[in-house]
Amino acid sequence: MKRREFLSTALAVAAAGLAPRSGHASNGLVEILLDEPIGAIAPELYGHFTEHIGEVVYNGIWVGENSKIPNLGGIRKALVDHLRQLRAPVIRWPGGCFADSYNWRDGVGPRAQRPVRTNFWDNDTQLCKAPDGPQKYDPNTFGTAEFMRFCQLCGAQPYVAANVRSLTPHDFDEWVEYCNSPAGSTTLAQTRAGDGSREPFNVTYWGIGNESWGCGGDFRPEEYAVQFRRFTSWVPEYGLKLRFIGSGPGASADDPQVSWTRGFLANLVATRADLLDRLYGLSMHYYCGTTGKGNSLEYSADEWYQMLWQADVMDSLVAQHWQAMGEYDKERKVKLVVDEWGAWHSTTPLGPPYLFSYVPSLRDALVSAITLDVFNRHAEKLAMCNDAQLVNNINTLFLAVEDRFVPTTIFHVFDMYKSHQGGRSLRMVCDAPEISCGKGKHLWGLAGSASLQGKKLVVTVVNPHASEPQAAEVSLRGGEAKSAQVTVLTAPDIHAHNDFDHPAAVAPKTEPASVSGSRFSWTFQPASVTKLEIDLA
Ligand code: AHR
C-alpha cells in the first residue's frame, strides 16, 4: 500500500465514530518515514538552566567544600553524577531575571572576600517569608569559576547570560576577558588563575540579557535592538567564534508574542542587514501552566489534559516564531533557542526558601516528553533548549534538601530521551482518536518523534490518555526492524511522583521488545512515555 493510501485508511479508521476518551481498539498509527530526514538533533536541545533563585544554586548545586554532603570542591556530587549520566550538553547561568541584576565582579577573586549582595528575587512575596539566607542575600560564593567547574565536571558547555539592564557593554567585554583571555595574558586572566583556572574557559554561548521586555529592562523591541548592537560590537574574541543569543519573547498559550520577534529583527536589519551575522540564536521562553498555576500533585483528569494540551502549544510557538524569523533572515542564518521552558505550578512544599519549587508528578513527565518530542520534530530550526530549572525549581529534574537528593519524574524523561541526542530527526506521522480537553480544545491521541543514528532507530511516543491504552500499527517506511528494546515510564495513578520518601515511585522499565519487519503492532500504556530502540536490518 502506498504511504498516502495507508495514511488515509488509518485516518478513516480513526475518524469512524470514535468518541473522545473511549476505549481504544487497534486504531492508531505510528508511521516513521526513514527517507524523510528533518535535520540533526543538536545535543544542546537537551540543555539545562540554573539561576540564583531560591535553592537552585545554594543547596541545590553548591553545598560548600566543608559540607558533610558528598561534594566535588563544594559542588553536590550526586547532581554531577546524574548530569553525567544524562550527557548534559549545556547549562545556562546565572539567570533568568537574576542575570540583569548580577555584577560578575562580585563572584570572582578569593571567596572569603567576595561581597554579599541583595538577590534579585528578594522582593518576592514567598521569599519574604523565608529566613535570611543566600536566597535573599547572595554571598557570591558561587561565581563564574565555580559555575565553569560545575560545567566541566558535568561535561557540559557553559551558556552565560550577560547583564544588559544594569551593566554596560564594557563590563560585558571584561567578563568575556575574564573567561576567555589566554593564560597569563591580562590582569583578569590572572584573577581567573587565582580562582583556580590558569587556562581560559573558552565560553562561546553568551546571552545578551534575559527577558529584556520585562525584568531585563522593560525595553521595547526597537530599544533592545540598540542594546543588542552595543553589547555585541567588537567583543574580544580570542580566536573563538562567539555565539550571541538575543533575548526573545515570553510566549504564552494565548499570545505567542511574535511582535517582539518581528520588532527586534526589523530594527536589527534596518541598521545593517549583516548584523544578522552577530545573532547566533534568538530566544523564546514558554512556560505552560502560567495561568492559574495550580497544585503540582492535585488535579482532575480534565486538568491533566489541559496541562498536556498547553505543553503541546510549544509546537505552534516554534513554528510561528520560525516563520517570523524567516521574514527577516531569508538565508536562515539564525536559529531559535528556547532557553526557558517547563510546567509552572504554584505549590512549594519544600518551604519559602525554595522559591518556585514543587514536586513534579507523572503529568510533568508527560509535559517534558511532549516538549522534547516537539524539539526533535523541529530539529532543523532549533540550536538550543534549556529546561527551567535544573534543581529545586520549576520543571525540576532533582529535589535536593541538605543531604537528601531525589531524581524526579522529569529526570527519567531526560534519561530516556538522551538517545535522540545527535541523531537525525525523521518525519513521523501519528494518528489516534483525539481527546477532548474541554472548551472546544482537543489533544491528539498519540504523538512523538523519531531519530536515526547509523542503524539505530529511536522512537518516543506519548499516550496522553489518563486511563486507556492506545493500540497502534507501527510502520517503518523504508526499513525493517531486526531487534528492539522498549522503555516505558508510567504509573497506575496519574498523580504518581517521586519524593524523598518514595524516590522510585515512578521509574522507567526496560525490556526486550519482540518486534520485527516493517510493520508491527504496539499498545501504548495509559498515561505513558514509551521509547522503542530499534536495530534496523
Ligand atoms: O525561571 C524563573 C523565571 O522565569 C526567570 O528568572 C525568568 O527569566 C522567567 O520569567
Side-chain angles (χ1 to χ4, degrees):
M1 198 187 296
K2 291 211 168 65
R3 183 179 143 228
R4 216 166 278 286
E5 286 170 41
F6 179 77
L7 275 175
S8 56
T9 309
L11 289 167
V13 171
L18 288 158
R21 299 187 204 175
S22 61
H24 296 166
S26 178
N27 50 12
L29 164 75
V30 175
E31 190 183 32
I32 296 120
L33 305 157
L34 286 146
D35 298 327
E36 292 194 30
I38 292 170
I41 298 174
E44 288 79 7
L45 305 198
Y46 289 79
H48 303 281
F49 169 40
T50 56
E51 178 171 7
H52 287 241
I53 180 174
E55 302 260 352
V56 174
V57 167
Y58 297 106
N59 198 7
I61 302 170
W62 182 259
V63 296
E65 289 164 306
N66 301 322
S67 171
K68 66 177 184 352
I69 301 166
N71 68 85
L72 303 164
I75 294 165
R76 188 185 281 272
K77 183 174 180 304
L79 185 63
V80 170
D81 292 343
H82 281 79
L83 285 174
R84 290 191 74 83
Q85 180 181 331
L86 291 182
R87 300 199 291 268
V90 61
I91 305 174
R92 178 176 183 243
W93 173 86
C97 293
F98 175 85
D100 281 287
S101 68
Y102 181 58
N103 188 337
W104 63 270
R105 289 189 184 82
D106 293 341
V108 303
R111 282 195 208 116
Q113 290 167 28
R114 294 182 191 173
V116 178
R117 303 283 189 211
T118 307
N119 183 286
F120 169 89
W121 294 99
D122 179 52
N123 286 338
D124 184 273
T125 46
Q126 184 192 318
L127 210 50
C128 288
K129 295 181 203 139
D132 290 353
Q135 307 75 28
K136 295 167 105 169
Y137 305 113
D138 194 318
N140 283 297
T141 322
F142 191 87
T144 304
E146 289 75 19
F147 171 65
M148 298 300 163
R149 175 100 182 105
F150 175 48
C151 290
Q152 286 160 1
L153 288 168
C154 298
Q157 293 190 70
Y159 167 24
V160 176
N163 179 343
V164 169
R165 176 173 63 81
S166 55
L167 289 183
T168 66
H170 181 68
D171 295 297
F172 175 51
D173 287 0
E174 291 194 344
W175 200 3
V176 175
E177 182 176 306
Y178 170 84
C179 289
N180 292 351
S181 60
S185 64
T186 64
T187 303
L188 284 169
Q190 283 168 16
T191 308
R192 186 185 66 225
D195 292 341
S197 185
R198 194 176 135 70
E199 296 307 316
F201 297 129
N202 292 331
V203 180
T204 58
Y205 292 120
W206 292 94
I208 308 303
N210 169 77
E211 298 196 347
S212 300
W213 41 268
C215 61
D218 289 323
F219 293 114
R220 294 194 299 260
E222 60 271 27
E223 294 169 330
Y224 175 68
V226 175
Q227 297 304 324
F228 182 86
R229 289 201 302 272
R230 293 179 69 227
F231 273 74
T232 57
S233 295
W234 301 103
V235 181
E237 289 180 343
Y238 307 108
L240 299 171
K241 177 82 188 120
L242 301 182
R243 294 164 161 177
F244 298 127
I245 294 164
S247 173
S252 70
D254 303 327
D255 185 354
Q257 292 285 345
V258 186
S259 56
W260 174 274
T261 297
R262 289 204 172 96
F264 166 61
L265 289 174
N267 281 276
L268 193 66
V269 299
T271 322
R272 264 183 21 221
D274 69 338
L275 285 177
L276 274 180
D277 294 336
R278 284 206 210 144
L279 186 63
Y280 173 75
L282 182 57
S283 86
M284 177 184 80
H285 292 177
Y286 174 59
Y287 290 98
C288 54
T290 42
T291 44
K293 290 188 185 169
N295 189 306
S296 77
L297 299 179
E298 292 169 19
Y299 41 83
S300 64
D302 280 343
E303 287 165 335
W304 158 276
Y305 291 119
Q306 281 156 22
M307 183 62 72
L308 302 187
W309 180 89
Q310 283 191 53
D312 191 54
V313 170
M314 182 68 89
D315 191 69
S316 66
L317 292 175
V318 170
Q320 288 177 78
H321 283 276
W322 184 246
Q323 192 201 322
M325 288 164 70
E327 293 165 16
Y328 305 92
D329 174 23
K330 308 276 185 222
E331 293 172 50
R332 290 296 189 191
K333 295 175 179 170
V334 185
K335 292 275 175 93
L336 189 59
V337 170
V338 183
D339 55 15
E340 290 184 27
W341 67 267
W344 197 322
H345 310 294
S346 65
T347 38
T348 49
L350 301 179
Y354 291 78
L355 191 61
F356 301 159
S357 69
Y358 60 83
V359 177
S361 73
L362 184 63
R363 180 175 63 165
D364 303 298
L366 266 72
V367 163
S368 299
I370 288 169
T371 306
L372 294 175
D373 281 326
V374 169
F375 295 158
N376 292 340
R377 295 199 302 266
H378 290 285
E380 85 287 14
K381 308 177 181 78
L382 294 161
M384 189 200 294
C385 304
N386 307 86
D387 172 275
Q389 300 194 14
L390 181 66
V391 53
N392 290 339
N393 204 261
I394 308 156
N395 220 69
T396 203
L397 279 80
F398 308 101
L399 298 173
V401 176
E402 292 157 6
D403 60 349
R404 292 179 298 166
F405 180 85
V406 64
T408 68
T409 55
I410 297 168
F411 165 82
H412 292 305
V413 171
F414 272 81
D415 203 27
M416 288 169 70
Y417 276 58
K418 70 185 177 195
S419 327
H420 281 301
Q421 286 186 23
R424 208 151 47 111
S425 177
L426 301 174
R427 210 159 98 72
M428 175 163 136
V429 178
C430 291
D431 189 67
E434 284 187 342
I435 298 170
S436 166
C437 305
K439 297 184 186 160
K441 292 179 176 134
H442 291 87
L443 183 64
W444 34 259
L446 287 176
S449 64
S451 67
L452 186 66
Q453 291 196 51
K455 291 270 184 190
K456 175 81 83 186
L457 174 66
V458 179
V459 181
T460 44
V461 177
V462 170
N463 175 9
H465 203 291
S467 54
E468 298 287 345
Q470 176 61 59
E473 178 166 87
V474 180
S475 168
L476 310 181
R477 306 290 287 188
E480 291 197 354
K482 195 172 68 179
S483 60
Q485 71 170 9
V486 62
T487 304
V488 180
L489 185 73
T490 187
D493 179 359
I494 59 170
H495 307 93
H497 55 275
N498 296 341
D499 56 25
F500 297 122
D501 297 328
H502 313 93
V506 184
K509 290 190 180 63
T510 300
E511 58 187 20
S514 56
V515 304
S516 60
S518 59
R519 281 185 193 191
F520 54 87
S521 299
W522 195 266
T523 299
F524 297 93
Q525 294 184 39
S528 69
V529 182
T530 298
K531 175 173 71 167
L532 286 161
E533 291 173 286
I534 300 170
D535 291 313
L536 296 177

